[in-house]
Amino acid sequence: MYAQALDQKDKAPSVVEDPEHLARFEARCAAEEKIEPKDWMPEGYRRTLIRQISQHAHSEIIGMQPEGNWVTRAPSLRRKAVLLAKIQDEGGHGLYLYSAAETLGISREELYEQLLSGRAKYSSIFNYPTLTWADMGAVGWLVDGAAIMNQIALCRCSYGPYARAMIRICKEESFHQRQGYEIMLTLAKGTPAQKEMAQDALNRWWWPCLMMFGPPDAVSEHSQESMRWKIKRFSNDALRQKFIDATVPQGHYLGLTFPDPDLKFNEATGHWEIGAIDWSEFKRVLSGDGPCNRQRMRHRRQVEADGAWVRDAARAHAEKRAAREAAAKIAAE
Ligand code: FAQ
C-alpha cells in the first residue's frame, strides 16, 4: 500500500565520489553551466533529479484524475473543450518529464513500477476531491498557479533536459492558470449560489495549495543540496510566500475571502502574512491517508491493467515487423 511503501524508500548506499570530478562539477554548477546527460555528475545529483523529475511526472499523470472527474459534467461545450485540452496538456507534461528522467539512466518501465507499487510520491494536492464545478476554477487558479510559481524557477535548473522541458510546460501552465481564474471570475460575478460555490472551492483548496510547496525550509531535507546544485533556485518557504503575495490580491478582486482569520498585509515588509499551516494534514496525505490517495492509486492501477492489451498488441506488431524485415533482408542477399 502507498503508506507502507513510502517507509520503504530506496536507501541506496552513498557513493564516494572522486574529489577532482566533484570539485569540477560543483564549479560548473556555481558558474551556471548546464549539465547535460553525458556529462559527469555525482550519484547524489543523478538520484535527486530522478526523484524530483519522476515525482513531478507522476504528479502530472495523477493530476489528470481530479479534472477528468468533470469532463462529462462541464457546463457548456466550450468549457468541456477547454478542460479536455488542459487535461491532455497535463498528460503531455508527464510524458516530457518521464523522457527527461530517462536521460538520467532509468527506464520508463521502472518509473511506472515505482508509481504503481507506491514507492514514488506524487504531489499531495492530487489527493483532494473535486466536488463541484468551481473546483475546476480553483484547481486552475490555485493549483496551476502554485505549480507555475515553482516551475518558472525550474526553467533555470542546472540540468539541461529538465530546464528545457519546463519552458514549454510553463507556457501551457500559464494558460491553465488563466482559464481557472476565468472560471472563478464568472462564478464570483454570477448568482449568489455560484459565488458561494466559488467561495467554498477557495475554502477547500487554499491550505492544501500552500502545502504543495513542500515542508518548511527548516525541515526540508533536500533543499540545501538541491539549491547548491542549482536544481532548486528558491526555497520552499520563499516560493510559498511569492505565491501568497501574488494570489491574495487576485482572490480579493474576485470578492472572495481567504479561509484564514490571521491573514494580514504587513506594510513594513510588503508581504501578506498567513496563519499556521496544519502540517499534520500534509504528513497524513503523504503517508497515504488523504481523502483520495487510495482512489487515485486504484484508478491508476486499473488503467494500467486495462491498457495492457494495447501494449501487448504494439509489442507483437513490432516483433512481427522486425521478423518480416529480417526475412526480406535474407531473401534479398
Ligand atoms: N507532495 O526536502 P523536500 C502540477 C516530499 S505539478 C508530496 O522539501 P524537495 C501540474 C519530497 O518529495 C505539481 N510530496 O523535497 C498540474 C520529499 O520526499 P522524498 C508537482 C512532497 O524535492 C496542475 C519530502 O517531502 N510539482 O501541479 C511535497 O527538495 C494541475 C521532503 O521535502 C513538482 O513536482 C508535496 N507537495 O522539494 C497537474 C515540481 N512536498 O522524495 C494537473 C517539482 C515535498 O524524500 C493539474 N518538484 N514532498 O521521499 C519540486 O520542486 C520539489 O520536489 C518540491 C519538494 C518543492 C515539491
Side-chain angles (χ1 to χ4, degrees), residues 239-253:
L239 286 174
R240 192 170 7 253
Q241 188 61 51
K242 271 173 178 275
F243 172 74
I244 294 165
D245 289 340
T247 310
V248 170
Q250 294 170 359
H252 289 162
Y253 181 78

Side-chain angles (χ1 to χ4, degrees), residues 181-237:
Y181 193 68
E182 198 242 341
I183 292 175
M184 292 302 275
L185 200 56
T186 307
L187 293 174
K189 297 209 178 312
T191 64
Q194 286 174 317
K195 184 166 180 188
E196 201 179 308
M197 204 195 284
Q199 180 64 57
D200 171 62
L202 173 59
N203 293 348
R204 285 181 290 106
W205 288 92
W206 177 242
W207 291 108
C209 279
L210 298 184
M211 295 173 200
M212 274 179 80
F213 293 91
D217 294 351
V219 293
S220 161
E221 60 182 293
H222 304 293
S223 276
Q224 223 181 346
E225 197 170 53
S226 288
M227 288 182 72
R228 194 179 78 247
W229 282 333
K230 308 254 163 85
I231 294 171
K232 283 168 93 162
R233 295 287 176 158
F234 297 97
S235 74
N236 298 354
D237 286 334

Side-chain angles (χ1 to χ4, degrees), residues 112-318:
Y112 286 172
E113 192 281 326
Q114 288 178 356
L115 173 66
L116 295 170
S117 67
R119 277 196 299 139
K121 289 193 174 88
Y122 58 86
S123 182
S124 50
I125 196 70
F126 302 116
N127 291 308
Y128 289 85
T130 44
L131 303 178
T132 71
W133 171 252
D135 288 11
M136 294 303 93
V139 167
W141 171 39
L142 300 172
V143 177
D144 285 280
I148 298 174
M149 199 51 91
N150 167 279
Q151 291 172 9
I152 290 284
L154 290 174
C155 296
R156 292 193 297 121
C157 162
S158 57
Y159 188 57
Y162 193 25
R164 290 189 287 275
M166 290 323 302
I167 293 172
R168 174 158 177 189
I169 291 177
C170 280
K171 286 186 182 154
E172 292 177 351
E173 297 291 19
S174 169
F175 149 69
H176 297 170
Q177 195 269 353
R178 279 154 192 250
Q179 70 84 39
Y181 193 68
E182 198 242 341
I183 292 175
M184 292 302 275
L185 200 56
T186 307
L187 293 174
K189 297 209 178 312
T191 64
Q194 286 174 317
K195 184 166 180 188
E196 201 179 308
M197 204 195 284
Q199 180 64 57
D200 171 62
L202 173 59
N203 293 348
R204 285 181 290 106
W205 288 92
W206 177 242
W207 291 108
C209 279
L210 298 184
M211 295 173 200
M212 274 179 80
F213 293 91
D217 294 351
V219 293
S220 161
E221 60 182 293
H222 304 293
S223 276
Q224 223 181 346
E225 197 170 53
S226 288
M227 288 182 72
R228 194 179 78 247
W229 282 333
K230 308 254 163 85
I231 294 171
K232 283 168 93 162
R233 295 287 176 158
F234 297 97
S235 74
N236 298 354
D237 286 334
L239 286 174
R240 192 170 7 253
Q241 188 61 51
K242 271 173 178 275
F243 172 74
I244 294 165
D245 289 340
T247 310
V248 170
Q250 294 170 359
H252 289 162
Y253 181 78
L254 293 172
L256 301 179
T257 309
F258 286 84
D260 178 359
D262 296 327
L263 182 70
K264 60 176 183 300
F265 188 69
N266 183 328
E267 295 284 351
T269 61
H271 294 298
W272 284 93
E273 290 174 356
I274 58 166
I277 295 178
D278 177 5
W279 289 111
S280 66
E281 176 177 324
F282 179 70
K283 284 187 194 144
R284 208 165 48 243
V285 174
L286 257 59
S287 73
D289 200 19
C292 297
N293 295 56
R294 290 169 188 82
Q295 179 187 334
R296 300 289 183 244
M297 288 309 295
R298 201 181 322 116
H299 182 75
R300 185 67 196 83
R301 290 188 185 114
Q302 186 60 52
V303 166
E304 188 70 10
D306 291 349
W309 72 271
V310 179
R311 293 188 297 279
D312 289 347
R315 207 173 295 118
H317 176 68

